Amino acid sequence: MIPPVPPEPPLKHTQRLDLSRLASILGERGLVDPEVLRGLLEASETGVQPFCEALVQGSFITDWDLGRVVSEVFQLAFVPTEQLHPDASLLEVFDADYLMQHGLVPVNRFGEVVTVAMPGLVAADTLAMLAAQSDLLVLPIVGTVQGNRAWLDEHLRPDMTSDSRWGNLFDEGDANVQRAIDTGDPLEGPAAPLPGGEAAPAAGPGALLRDETSDACELPPAPTFEQDPTQA
Protein backbone atom coordinates (compact mmCIF):
# COMPACT_ATOMS: atom_id res chain seq x y z
CA MET A 1 0.00 0.00 0.00
CA ILE A 2 1.35 3.38 -1.01
CA PRO A 3 1.46 5.77 1.96
CA PRO A 4 -0.46 9.00 1.53
CA VAL A 5 1.54 11.99 0.41
CA PRO A 6 1.64 14.60 3.17
CA PRO A 7 0.33 18.05 2.18
CA GLU A 8 2.88 20.64 1.25
CA PRO A 9 3.58 23.22 3.95
CA PRO A 10 2.35 26.74 3.23
CA LEU A 11 4.62 28.89 1.09
CA LYS A 12 6.88 26.02 0.04
CA HIS A 13 6.65 27.27 -3.52
CA THR A 14 7.93 30.68 -2.45
CA GLN A 15 11.09 29.42 -0.79
CA ARG A 16 12.86 30.00 -4.11
CA LEU A 17 12.04 33.72 -4.01
CA ASP A 18 15.43 35.25 -3.33
CA LEU A 19 16.58 38.82 -3.86
CA SER A 20 20.20 37.77 -4.31
CA ARG A 21 19.19 35.55 -7.20
CA LEU A 22 17.29 38.42 -8.80
CA ALA A 23 20.30 40.70 -8.40
CA SER A 24 22.53 38.10 -10.08
CA ILE A 25 20.16 37.77 -13.03
CA LEU A 26 19.92 41.55 -13.50
CA GLY A 27 23.70 41.82 -13.44
CA GLU A 28 24.26 38.90 -15.81
CA ARG A 29 21.84 40.37 -18.35
CA GLY A 30 23.52 43.75 -18.17
CA LEU A 31 20.33 45.48 -17.04
CA VAL A 32 21.85 47.03 -13.90
CA ASP A 33 25.46 47.65 -12.92
CA PRO A 34 26.66 44.89 -10.54
CA GLU A 35 28.18 47.42 -8.13
CA VAL A 36 24.85 49.21 -7.88
CA LEU A 37 23.07 45.92 -7.29
CA ARG A 38 25.50 44.96 -4.54
CA GLY A 39 25.09 48.28 -2.76
CA LEU A 40 21.31 48.31 -2.96
CA LEU A 41 21.11 44.70 -1.82
CA GLU A 42 23.26 45.40 1.22
CA ALA A 43 21.18 48.48 2.04
CA SER A 44 17.94 46.51 1.81
CA GLU A 45 19.27 43.92 4.24
CA THR A 46 19.75 46.65 6.85
CA GLY A 47 16.19 47.88 6.35
CA VAL A 48 17.09 51.16 4.61
CA GLN A 49 14.83 50.59 1.59
CA PRO A 50 13.34 47.53 -0.14
CA PHE A 51 15.60 46.29 -2.93
CA CYS A 52 13.12 46.49 -5.83
CA GLU A 53 11.80 49.85 -4.68
CA ALA A 54 15.33 51.25 -4.60
CA LEU A 55 15.96 49.94 -8.13
CA VAL A 56 12.88 51.62 -9.60
CA GLN A 57 12.96 54.87 -7.65
CA GLY A 58 16.65 55.24 -8.40
CA SER A 59 15.86 54.88 -12.13
CA PHE A 60 18.23 51.93 -12.46
CA ILE A 61 15.49 49.91 -14.18
CA THR A 62 11.90 50.57 -15.18
CA ASP A 63 8.98 49.11 -13.28
CA TRP A 64 7.88 47.20 -16.36
CA ASP A 65 11.30 45.67 -17.10
CA LEU A 66 11.75 44.65 -13.48
CA GLY A 67 8.34 42.95 -13.35
CA ARG A 68 8.99 41.17 -16.64
CA VAL A 69 12.29 39.74 -15.38
CA VAL A 70 10.84 38.65 -12.03
CA SER A 71 7.91 36.97 -13.77
CA GLU A 72 10.19 35.13 -16.17
CA VAL A 73 12.81 34.02 -13.66
CA PHE A 74 10.48 32.96 -10.84
CA GLN A 75 7.59 31.75 -13.03
CA LEU A 76 4.98 34.03 -11.47
CA ALA A 77 2.09 35.92 -13.01
CA PHE A 78 2.88 39.55 -13.77
CA VAL A 79 -0.18 41.76 -13.36
CA PRO A 80 0.54 45.47 -12.82
CA THR A 81 -1.35 46.76 -9.83
CA GLU A 82 -2.99 49.44 -11.95
CA GLN A 83 -4.90 46.69 -13.79
CA LEU A 84 -6.07 45.00 -10.61
CA HIS A 85 -9.00 45.84 -8.36
CA PRO A 86 -7.71 44.87 -4.90
CA ASP A 87 -10.25 44.14 -2.22
CA ALA A 88 -9.73 46.97 0.27
CA SER A 89 -11.55 45.02 3.00
CA LEU A 90 -8.53 42.68 3.17
CA LEU A 91 -6.55 45.49 4.77
CA GLU A 92 -8.32 44.64 8.02
CA VAL A 93 -6.78 41.15 7.93
CA PHE A 94 -3.15 42.31 7.80
CA ASP A 95 -0.95 44.69 9.73
CA ALA A 96 -1.03 48.03 7.91
CA ASP A 97 2.50 49.01 8.95
CA TYR A 98 3.86 45.73 7.58
CA LEU A 99 2.11 46.20 4.26
CA MET A 100 3.44 49.75 3.94
CA GLN A 101 6.96 48.74 4.92
CA HIS A 102 7.21 46.07 2.22
CA GLY A 103 4.85 47.55 -0.39
CA LEU A 104 2.54 44.51 -0.39
CA VAL A 105 -1.03 44.75 -1.69
CA PRO A 106 -3.57 42.03 -0.81
CA VAL A 107 -5.70 41.51 -3.90
CA ASN A 108 -8.28 38.75 -3.41
CA ARG A 109 -9.13 35.99 -1.01
CA PHE A 110 -10.39 32.53 -1.92
CA GLY A 111 -11.14 30.61 1.24
CA GLU A 112 -7.85 30.30 3.10
CA VAL A 113 -5.77 31.51 0.16
CA VAL A 114 -5.05 35.20 -0.39
CA THR A 115 -3.43 36.63 -3.50
CA VAL A 116 -0.82 39.29 -2.72
CA ALA A 117 0.82 41.57 -5.27
CA MET A 118 4.51 42.11 -4.61
CA PRO A 119 6.32 45.32 -5.61
CA GLY A 120 8.42 43.40 -8.11
CA LEU A 121 9.79 40.85 -5.67
CA VAL A 122 10.14 40.41 -1.92
CA ALA A 123 12.00 37.68 -0.05
CA ALA A 124 10.23 34.46 0.86
CA ASP A 125 10.65 35.24 4.55
CA THR A 126 8.66 38.45 4.08
CA LEU A 127 5.71 36.52 2.66
CA ALA A 128 6.06 33.82 5.31
CA MET A 129 5.71 36.46 8.02
CA LEU A 130 2.63 37.86 6.30
CA ALA A 131 1.10 34.38 6.20
CA ALA A 132 1.88 33.82 9.87
CA GLN A 133 0.25 37.10 10.85
CA SER A 134 -2.97 36.29 9.02
CA ASP A 135 -2.98 32.47 9.35
CA LEU A 136 -3.65 32.31 5.60
CA LEU A 137 -1.86 30.79 2.62
CA VAL A 138 -0.23 33.57 0.61
CA LEU A 139 -0.15 33.26 -3.18
CA PRO A 140 2.23 35.90 -4.59
CA ILE A 141 1.97 37.59 -7.95
CA VAL A 142 4.24 40.22 -9.48
CA GLY A 143 2.96 43.77 -9.26
CA THR A 144 4.73 47.08 -9.80
CA VAL A 145 6.61 49.19 -7.31
CA GLN A 146 4.90 52.46 -8.18
CA GLY A 147 1.46 50.90 -8.61
CA ASN A 148 1.61 49.20 -5.21
CA ARG A 149 2.78 52.37 -3.49
CA ALA A 150 0.08 54.46 -5.11
CA TRP A 151 -2.64 52.05 -4.00
CA LEU A 152 -1.31 51.81 -0.45
CA ASP A 153 -0.95 55.58 -0.19
CA GLU A 154 -4.55 56.00 -1.27
CA HIS A 155 -6.04 53.42 1.09
CA LEU A 156 -3.72 53.46 4.09
CA ARG A 157 -1.60 56.59 4.35
CA PRO A 158 -4.39 59.13 5.12
CA ASP A 159 -5.39 57.21 8.24
CA MET A 160 -1.83 56.50 9.28
CA THR A 161 -0.50 60.07 8.94
CA SER A 162 -3.43 62.30 9.89
CA ASP A 163 -2.15 62.79 13.44
CA SER A 164 1.46 63.18 12.32
CA ARG A 165 0.54 66.01 9.96
CA TRP A 166 -0.87 68.02 12.86
CA GLY A 167 2.13 67.12 14.98
CA ASN A 168 4.51 68.33 12.30
CA LEU A 169 2.57 71.59 12.01
CA PHE A 170 2.93 72.30 15.72
CA ASP A 171 6.57 71.22 15.71
CA GLU A 172 7.31 73.68 12.91
CA GLY A 173 5.58 76.45 14.86
CA ASP A 174 7.62 75.70 17.98
CA ALA A 175 10.81 75.62 15.91
CA ASN A 176 10.05 79.05 14.44
CA VAL A 177 9.46 80.51 17.89
CA GLN A 178 12.69 78.97 19.19
CA ARG A 179 14.66 80.41 16.27
CA ALA A 180 13.27 83.86 16.99
CA ILE A 181 14.27 83.54 20.66
CA ASP A 182 17.77 82.30 19.81
CA THR A 183 18.39 85.18 17.39
CA GLY A 184 17.25 87.80 19.90
CA ASP A 185 14.31 89.04 17.87
CA PRO A 186 13.11 92.20 19.68
CA LEU A 187 9.52 91.24 18.95
CA GLU A 188 9.87 88.24 21.22
CA GLY A 189 11.38 90.13 24.16
CA PRO A 190 9.53 92.03 26.93
CA ALA A 191 7.83 95.23 25.84
CA ALA A 192 9.37 98.54 26.89
CA PRO A 193 7.40 100.61 29.43
CA LEU A 194 5.30 103.51 28.20
CA PRO A 195 5.96 107.05 29.45
CA GLY A 196 3.11 106.65 31.93
CA GLY A 197 4.78 103.66 33.54
CA GLU A 198 2.54 101.02 31.97
CA ALA A 199 4.07 98.25 29.97
CA ALA A 200 3.31 98.29 26.28
CA PRO A 201 1.28 95.36 25.05
CA ALA A 202 3.38 92.60 23.55
CA ALA A 203 3.39 92.49 19.78
CA GLY A 204 1.69 89.42 18.45
CA PRO A 205 3.07 87.34 15.61
CA GLY A 206 0.84 89.21 13.15
CA ALA A 207 1.59 92.70 14.47
CA LEU A 208 3.03 95.25 12.03
CA LEU A 209 5.99 97.44 12.85
CA ARG A 210 5.28 101.13 12.36
CA ASP A 211 7.74 102.78 10.06
CA GLU A 212 9.43 105.99 11.10
CA THR A 213 7.83 107.62 8.06
CA SER A 214 4.29 106.85 9.21
CA ASP A 215 1.84 109.52 10.31
CA ALA A 216 3.04 109.14 13.86
CA CYS A 217 6.17 111.17 12.96
CA GLU A 218 5.83 114.67 11.43
CA LEU A 219 8.21 115.14 8.51
CA PRO A 220 9.92 118.51 7.87
CA PRO A 221 8.67 120.50 4.86
CA ALA A 222 10.30 119.77 1.53
CA PRO A 223 13.09 122.26 0.62
CA THR A 224 12.43 124.87 -2.11
CA PHE A 225 14.94 126.22 -4.62
CA GLU A 226 15.01 129.52 -6.47
CA GLN A 227 15.14 129.31 -10.25
CA ASP A 228 18.36 130.46 -11.90
CA PRO A 229 17.48 133.67 -13.92
CA THR A 230 20.05 132.80 -16.59
CA GLN A 231 18.09 129.66 -17.40
CA ALA A 232 14.66 131.29 -17.43
Side-chain angles (χ1 to χ4, degrees):
M1 181 178 180
I2 301 177
V5 178
E8 293 186 355
L11 293 175
K12 181 178 180 180
H13 63 286
T14 65
Q15 295 305 314
R16 55 195 172 89
L17 300 184
D18 183 67
L19 295 174
S20 298
R21 182 184 177 193
L22 173 61
S24 298
I25 296 296
L26 293 174
E28 291 172 1
R29 296 186 180 184
L31 298 174
V32 184
D33 185 272
E35 291 298 325
V36 171
L37 291 167
R38 187 178 299 109
L40 295 182
L41 195 59
E42 292 177 355
S44 68
E45 292 173 353
T46 61
V48 174
Q49 188 178 24
F51 177 65
C52 289
E53 187 169 330
L55 281 172
V56 173
Q57 292 188 352
S59 299
F60 298 108
I61 191 172
T62 66
D63 235 344
W64 181 267
D65 287 339
L66 177 63
R68 178 176 54 82
V69 172
V70 173
S71 176
E72 176 186 343
V73 172
F74 298 97
Q75 297 297 300
L76 294 171
F78 176 30
V79 186
T81 319
E82 298 87 340
Q83 300 178 11
L84 296 172
H85 299 282
D87 184 357
S89 65
L90 290 175
L91 294 175
E92 301 177 0
V93 179
F94 301 98
D95 179 72
D97 291 332
Y98 193 81
L99 295 177
M100 288 291 294
Q101 177 184 356
H102 298 284
L104 299 168
V105 173
V107 180
N108 288 307
R109 178 176 178 177
F110 304 93
E112 299 303 308
V113 179
V114 60
T115 304
V116 175
M118 302 181 295
L121 182 73
V122 298
D125 291 343
T126 301
L127 296 178
M129 181 64 69
L130 188 69
Q133 293 174 356
S134 61
D135 200 24
L136 296 171
L137 178 63
V138 173
L139 178 64
I141 62 174
V142 182
T144 59
V145 171
Q146 295 174 340
N148 278 27
R149 281 297 172 192
W151 192 89
L152 291 170
D153 285 345
E154 178 183 354
H155 292 84
L156 283 181
R157 193 171 294 277
D159 294 336
M160 296 175 63
T161 62
S162 58
D163 292 336
S164 63
R165 285 199 303 268
W166 285 105
N168 292 337
L169 179 62
F170 290 124
D171 291 342
E172 291 174 3
D174 292 339
N176 291 333
V177 171
Q178 188 61 44
R179 281 195 298 268
I181 294 175
D182 294 341
T183 56
D185 191 336
L187 289 179
E188 301 296 335
L194 295 174
E198 298 179 358
L208 297 177
L209 290 176
R210 302 190 66 181
D211 195 297
E212 294 180 356
T213 60
S214 66
D215 56 0
C217 300
E218 184 178 354
L219 297 177
T224 59
F225 302 92
E226 296 181 358
Q227 187 176 10
D228 189 347
T230 62
Q231 299 181 1

